Amino acid sequence: MKHKTIWLVVSMLVVLGLLVGGFGCAKEVAPTTPTTPTTPTTPTTPATPAAPEVIHWIMQSHEPLLPGFGPYECVFHCTWVHRWAEWLEEATGGRLEIEIVPVDAMFPRTESLTAAETRIVDVVFAPPPWFSGVIPEMDAISLPGGLVSVRESYDLWYNYGVNDLIQPLYAERNILMIPALGNCHLNIYATFDMPNMASLKGKKIRGFGVYNKYLELMGAVPTTVAHGDLYMALKLGTLDATLTAATSLENLKLKEVVSDYLDIDNPCINGVLINMDAYNELPEDIKYMIETYTPLWYTVGSLELYEHEAYIIGKCKEELGFEVWTWPAEEVAKLKEGCVNEIWPEIAAKTPLCAQIIEITKKHMKEHGRL
């Protein structure tokens, strides 16, 4: 029993020794060779991003920039021309700059179509009806007795398909044309009373294009006088009246020589003509801005123009005793019927496309209860 106890104690000591030896001896690790510290790299200076390319366009309008009046800082064609150019420069982050040169500085305004086509300038602003001698369809988009409001014109062009018919006519001439649609106070400004249609019989009234026929319907004698000579012609009695827009009361000072206005609105269409070579040089995002947002920008300009003109007429009435004539409904209806039945067929006969545009216009007017 004694020997058994001794043997048990010895065995326990052996086991304890083994355990102590296992925990107390660390595993030998071979020494490592110290690494040479790496030389820190010098940080590189980030490259300065290249400045975006600036594209410079030259633009000429057919009307000068006039000082504001009343509550308006930017009047008449200012929104279509000057503010449009400012908007594009800002929207493109300065990548497109448009320099606006004075009227007739680069070419006579009567040569606006050729100037846009041949890139005498990059952009022209002018009324498309001026070009009816070479593009007959321009008479079909400015019909006497036709659509007279901004909303009607916009609807006709963009929802009834007229824009799609007109664009190829300008593309053939290397031009993108975006219209400034709507109406203005376009009718007769006279030196005599105009209470009814009979009051115009035999009067010498300056007209232009298809509106000469319009004057004939009313019994007047269409007379040719250059736009810039209207003031003296009216003052000296060479003319009894002129068919023009109310802008002429201000920019030609006709308010000094006329006393009466016939308040029957007619279509008033202007437009920007962009040379296609200049346009195709633009980045895609700027092209998108121009084609997508210019029609909306110009619609606002059309609304503004109408109110600018109304303000001028109102001031002439208030301060100068200007007489504004509105005819009886039956006379206005008779005049409109004459336009539709006599003037429009002559225009429709010019080209098949003229006829198509007029049929679309009739369809629009009938579907909206205006014909």
Side-chain angles (χ1 to χ4, degrees):
M1 181 67 181
K2 183 177 179 181
H3 291 289
K4 186 176 180 181
T5 302
I6 293 172
W7 175 248
L8 180 61
V9 171
V10 170
S11 298
M12 290 176 64
L13 289 174
V14 170
V15 171
L16 182 61
L18 290 173
L19 290 171
V20 171
F23 284 109
C25 298
K27 182 177 180 181
E28 185 175 340
V29 178
T32 59
T33 305
T35 58
T36 305
T38 57
T39 304
T41 58
T42 304
T44 59
T45 304
T48 303
E53 178 187 0
V54 177
I55 299 166
H56 186 83
W57 276 2
I58 296 177
M59 180 179 189
Q60 181 176 305
S61 174
H62 72 295
E63 293 282 0
L65 176 64
L66 296 176
F69 46 74
Y72 308 111
E73 294 180 3
C74 179
V75 297
F76 301 152
H77 298 82
C78 174
T79 295
W80 290 332
V81 178
H82 297 268
R83 281 189 173 170
W84 178 73
E86 292 169 0
W87 160 68
L88 274 174
E89 182 171 349
E90 181 178 352
T92 61
R95 290 179 294 151
L96 177 59
E97 295 178 348
I98 302 178
E99 176 188 354
I100 301 168
V101 298
V103 176
D104 297 332
M106 302 291 289
F107 56 88
R109 72 190 80 181
T110 53
E111 298 177 9
S112 295
L113 184 66
T114 301
E117 182 176 358
T118 58
R119 204 176 181 180
I120 292 175
V121 293
D122 303 289
V123 193
V124 175
F125 191 85
W130 281 9
F131 316 138
S132 61
V134 290
I135 308 178
E137 290 79 9
M138 296 305 95
D139 281 341
I141 64 171
S142 185
L143 297 169
L147 306 184
V148 296
S149 76
V150 176
R151 66 180 186 274
E152 290 170 8
S153 297
Y154 187 94
D155 195 34
L156 179 73
W157 275 69
Y158 294 107
N159 294 323
Y160 277 67
V162 169
N163 186 62
D164 294 336
L165 298 176
I166 295 299
Q167 288 307 323
L169 301 176
Y170 285 90
E172 290 173 1
R173 296 178 176 275
N174 201 37
I175 294 171
L176 170 66
M177 193 279 285
I178 302 177
L181 300 167
N183 67 312
C184 56
H185 294 81
L186 175 65
N187 218 298
I188 298 170
Y189 296 79
T191 58
F192 59 90
D193 291 351
M194 297 181 287
N196 50 41
M197 199 180 302
S199 63
L200 272 61
K201 187 172 180 61
K203 298 295 186 180
K204 294 174 293 182
I205 303 178
R206 181 258 188 181
F208 52 87
V210 296
Y211 281 92
N212 284 330
K213 292 285 186 182
Y214 178 76
L215 295 174
E216 289 176 356
L217 279 177
M218 294 187 281
V221 179
T223 306
T224 301
V225 172
H227 188 64
D229 296 334
L230 286 176
Y231 183 96
M232 290 306 298
L234 289 161
K235 184 175 183 178
L236 297 174
T238 307
L239 287 176
D240 298 308
T242 181
L243 192 143
T244 188
T247 52
S248 298
L249 293 173
E250 195 68 27
N251 59 22
L252 295 181
K253 302 302 178 186
L254 295 191
K255 63 185 180 182
E256 298 174 2
V257 291
V258 298
S259 56
D260 297 74
Y261 165 61
L262 177 58
D263 190 13
I264 301 175
D265 293 337
N266 279 297
C268 179
I269 295 179
N270 291 277
V272 66
L273 313 178
I274 303 174
N275 176 271
M276 284 299 295
D277 294 333
Y279 181 76
N280 288 331
E281 291 169 3
L282 295 174
E284 291 301 318
D285 66 313
I286 298 181
K287 290 182 187 178
Y288 179 83
M289 288 181 199
I290 290 174
E291 287 205 59
T292 303
Y293 298 115
T294 298
L296 306 180
W297 188 270
Y298 278 6
T299 299
V300 172
S302 297
L303 294 168
E304 289 183 335
L305 172 66
Y306 193 78
E307 290 308 309
H308 296 161
E309 292 195 331
Y311 179 89
I312 290 294
I313 292 172
K315 280 295 181 182
C316 287
K317 185 176 179 180
E318 176 187 345
E319 298 173 1
L320 304 174
F322 208 66
E323 191 73 45
V324 178
W325 297 96
T326 55
W327 286 355
E330 58 271 16
E331 288 221 314
V332 175
K334 179 181 177 182
L335 178 59
K336 186 172 188 175
E337 182 181 356
C339 290
V340 173
N341 295 332
E342 297 183 40
I343 298 177
W344 293 15
E346 289 187 17
I347 298 171
K350 291 183 177 183
T351 69
L353 187 53
C354 281
Q356 184 179 357
I357 292 169
I358 288 175
E359 286 305 311
I360 293 172
T361 303
K362 287 181 178 179
K363 173 181 170 66
H364 183 281
M365 294 178 72
K366 288 177 181 177
E367 290 181 350
H368 291 78
R370 300 185 181 105
L371 186 64

